[in-house]
Amino acid sequence: MANVKFFSGEQIPLEMHKVRIVQKLNLPPVEERLKCIAEAGNNTFLLKNKDVYMDMLTDSGVNAMSDRQQAAMLVADDSYAGSATFTKLENKVGEIFGTKYFLPAHQGRACENIIAMTFVKEGNVIPMNFHFTTPKAHITRLGARVEELLVDEGLKVTSDCLFKGNMDLNKLEKFIVENREKIPFIRMEAGTNLIGGQPFELSNARGVSAIAKKYGIMTVLDASLWQDNLYFIKQREAACKDMSLREITLELAKCFDIIYFSGRKLGFARGGGIATNSKELCEKMKELVPLFEGFLTYGGMSVREMEAMVVGLDETMDEDVISQGPQFIKYMTDEFLKAGVPVVTPAGGLGCHLDATRFIPQVPQTQYPAGSLACAAYIAGGIRGMERGTISEEREPDGSERMAAVELLRLAVPRRVYTLSQIKYVIDRIIWLYENRNLVGGLKFVEEPKVLRFFFGRLEPIGDWQQKLAEKFRADFGDSL
Ligand SMILES: *Cc1c(COP(=O)(O)O)cnc(C)c1O
């Protein structure tokens, strides 16, 4: 977004694009919302889109495409093998990351499956700055485990640390010395998702790379949220101030042996892929692509999406484009702070994160405060956020509950999708909810799947707090939706 000052002195983010295709939205009345959340098993993943006004569940596959992306989709070369579209994508990924080899996959987790199946063995341990749900599930499925070596500041919900996603290099080296034989690779996650879309520094990635080289360990970058991390490096890391976005990206890529990404986030389309400069590593992973994804020149992606991704990756190198999300998120975060609503600070990428632990301290962690807050936000405003707390964890092998380090409600801001008035509406309804936070109670599971339970588990409220919250809404807002 451009640097535009308002005469009024108000500080608001200004969109550097205009909207030319729209989708009608529906906001059901609060009584309906109460029914919808019950039907969805108090799991926002199970709500129907038609019942959602602000879909802030995720930034995955829901970012708006540009006119240039739409145009590119019309000229896709649709063939099973040898598609010219694939060559374009391969070249674009090579141009952005400076890599020679590219393996396509249908989305980010498919890359994780291929990497895990190729390199992870039972009993292994994979050090990382912080885990994310899908890579962790792929690693634990194979009988290995993850070790989080984030800087201590990363887990502080409120902080003024600008790079909460940094790896603690001392902890990393110590851990490697003690566990060298068990470590197939080190994983770094850009825009560290579960702690609130928090970035790491380029200098930190270089530090990780140097340690990995010293001990002869492979490095893997999850670049799904690289666009946010890139924007923050450009804004916050003094040494990178005069580097272009392309230069920063190329420098970062040098720190990693394997780079994978979800094209549902990076590239404003749907798909994913794995890039590397090593022929040997590429050969090792390659055979799993036709087995699980599709032939090597599409990997389960539609060629139209691949064309869109080629353009989307280019747009990622434009600061006007990648600053939109972080600036909207900062605006939300600042407004919440003014109203005393507990949020993750500093504002990160991908979404604004409410701190459920402080928002509703009356709900104990065993009753899933972040999940409860997700239900309450839907009742309060037809807002669909995502629980990022204990429900998103999996139980320990002995069946006991593994309490999340932080209980967050993520309000994702899909890129280029919403306008500022819609963001203001969300802020308004969340502030109302905060004023009425004493009405919010807990949840319990009624159906609990063993794997990735947050996707399809069903819960119910403990007591009748949801009715009371809806009644209070009606009393305060009259006949308003
Ligand atoms: C979304 C995401 C993934 C998984 O990508 P999908 O395309 O949704 O499978 C992996 N890592 C991170 C950091 C993500 O944000």
Side-chain angles (χ1 to χ4, degrees):
M1 289 187 170
N3 172 19
V4 177
K5 289 204 177 73
F6 282 66
F7 178 58
S8 68
E10 197 181 0
Q11 278 294 312
I12 56 174
L14 183 65
E15 292 88 342
M16 294 307 284
H17 54 248
K18 61 182 176 182
V19 179
R20 293 167 64 219
I21 294 181
V22 295
Q23 179 180 6
K24 193 171 182 326
L25 288 176
N26 176 41
L27 176 54
V30 69
E31 294 75 14
E32 282 291 308
R33 305 202 286 263
L34 196 58
K35 277 191 212 143
C36 293
I37 198 70
E39 276 166 21
N42 287 279
N43 181 345
T44 54
F45 274 99
L46 303 181
L47 282 165
K48 295 198 171 69
N49 240 356
K50 69 171 179 51
D51 302 322
V52 171
Y53 176 64
M54 287 296 286
D55 190 2
M56 307 184 89
L57 187 74
T58 175
D59 59 335
S60 177
V62 289
N63 301 299
M65 279 195 194
S66 68
D67 49 357
R68 291 173 59 236
Q69 285 184 288
Q70 293 274 339
M73 290 171 90
L74 292 175
V75 294
D77 180 21
D78 216 345
S79 63
Y80 187 88
S83 156
T85 293
F86 175 74
T87 309
K88 261 196 229 172
L89 179 58
E90 186 181 38
N91 290 343
K92 183 56 69 183
V93 170
E95 174 194 316
I96 300 274
F97 292 119
T99 46
K100 283 204 204 80
Y101 306 98
F102 179 65
L103 297 171
H106 78 274
Q107 64 183 101
R109 70 202 64 183
C111 306
E112 287 156 356
N113 178 42
I114 291 169
I115 294 168
M117 298 256 295
T118 309
F119 300 106
V120 176
K121 309 259 170 319
E122 199 176 334
N124 280 176
V125 48
I126 289 81
M128 48 183 78
N129 50 346
F130 204 69
H131 84 278
F132 181 63
T133 51
T134 53
K136 182 171 176 182
H138 281 296
I139 288 164
T140 51
R141 192 177 72 92
L142 296 170
R145 66 177 188 90
V146 308
E147 177 75 21
E148 291 163 339
L149 299 169
L150 190 70
V151 290
D152 291 342
E153 203 62 25
L155 285 184
K156 293 198 186 122
V157 172
T158 55
S159 161
D160 42 26
C161 172
L162 295 178
F163 293 99
K164 287 162 81 176
N166 276 350
M167 184 88 88
D168 186 319
L169 298 178
N170 293 329
K171 280 192 215 160
L172 176 66
E173 185 151 13
K174 183 162 179 285
F175 189 78
I176 291 175
V177 169
E178 289 160 8
N179 297 275
R180 173 65 198 94
E181 297 313 311
K182 293 190 213 148
I183 303 174
F185 59 84
I186 302 168
R187 173 180 174 275
M188 277 292 268
E189 181 178 314
T192 323
N193 193 323
L194 295 188
I195 57 164
Q198 300 289 329
F200 58 68
E201 273 164 298
L202 177 58
S203 64
N204 187 252
R206 285 181 172 144
V208 170
S209 167
I211 293 174
K213 283 214 174 76
K214 180 167 162 193
Y215 295 93
I217 301 174
M218 186 170 94
T219 48
V220 175
L221 172 69
D222 179 349
S224 305
L225 301 177
W226 172 241
Q227 72 164 18
D228 297 333
N229 204 126
L230 174 60
Y231 170 73
F232 290 126
I233 286 181
K234 175 79 183 157
Q235 291 290 312
R236 300 176 181 174
E237 189 168 346
C240 300
K241 207 169 124 283
D242 297 323
M243 291 166 74
S244 71
L245 298 180
R246 284 179 188 274
E247 283 165 349
I248 298 171
T249 305
L250 285 170
E251 282 302 309
L252 172 89
K254 285 184 193 159
C255 304
F256 296 95
D257 299 302
I258 292 177
I259 299 171
Y260 75 89
F261 63 93
S262 164
R264 300 174 64 84
K265 291 136 187 189
L266 190 72
F268 303 95
R270 289 163 200 83
I274 306 173
T276 177
N277 254 324
S278 157
K279 186 157 200 285
E280 190 195 330
L281 294 178
C282 178
E283 291 298 324
K284 280 190 183 158
M285 293 182 281
K286 197 169 161 180
E287 62 192 42
L288 295 179
V289 176
L291 202 55
F292 290 105
E293 300 302 303
F295 191 65
L296 283 169
T297 52
Y298 70 95
M301 283 186 273
S302 132
V303 281
R304 274 164 282 281
E305 295 288 340
M306 286 158 68
E307 285 284 349
M309 205 184 297
V310 171
V311 178
L313 286 171
D314 238 6
E315 291 175 354
T316 302
M317 298 294 125
D318 177 345
E319 204 168 337
D320 278 348
V321 173
I322 62 169
S323 61
Q324 191 260 337
Q327 292 207 26
F328 269 38
I329 293 158
K330 182 168 187 321
Y331 179 79
M332 288 176 83
T333 304
D334 289 348
E335 292 300 307
F336 285 143
L337 287 173
K338 278 186 219 163
V341 176
V343 277
V344 172
T345 58
L350 102 123
C352 180
H353 293 71
L354 302 177
D355 178 8
T357 309
R358 282 182 300 140
F359 200 115
I360 40 172
Q362 72 273 22
V363 178
Q365 213 172 1
T366 50
Q367 295 180 13
Y368 313 120
S372 298
L373 195 57
C375 296
Y378 177 72
I379 295 168
I383 301 159
R384 167 157 70 175
M386 190 193 291
E387 194 269 0
R388 295 276 81 156
T390 297
I391 297 176
S392 296
E393 294 285 340
E394 272 164 22
R395 284 183 186 267
E396 300 287 4
D398 70 0
S400 64
E401 194 72 85
R402 183 188 159 92
M403 298 300 172
V406 285
E407 291 283 340
L408 305 178
L409 172 60
R410 177 176 90 189
L411 300 174
V413 179
R415 301 177 179 91
R416 308 191 282 203
V417 171
Y418 291 119
T419 59
L420 198 62
S421 54
Q422 291 169 321
I423 295 292
K424 284 190 166 187
Y425 165 82
V426 171
I427 294 167
D428 182 84
R429 288 300 188 262
I430 297 294
I431 292 176
W432 174 81
L433 189 59
Y434 188 60
E435 296 295 314
N436 292 283
R437 60 192 178 275
N438 59 323
L439 293 176
V440 179
L443 298 172
K444 63 170 189 265
F445 267 106
V446 285
E447 278 172 40
E448 187 182 341
K450 280 219 163 56
V451 177
L452 297 176
R453 62 182 183 174
F454 65 93
F455 278 141
F456 20 78
R458 300 181 68 87
L459 301 100
E460 66 184 23
I462 299 170
D464 64 349
W465 64 266
Q466 297 188 340
Q467 272 84 359
K468 295 223 169 77
L469 188 66
E471 282 160 21
K472 182 68 175 15
F473 182 96
R474 198 39 83 221
D476 286 357
F477 288 100
D479 61 2
S480 162
L481 290 175

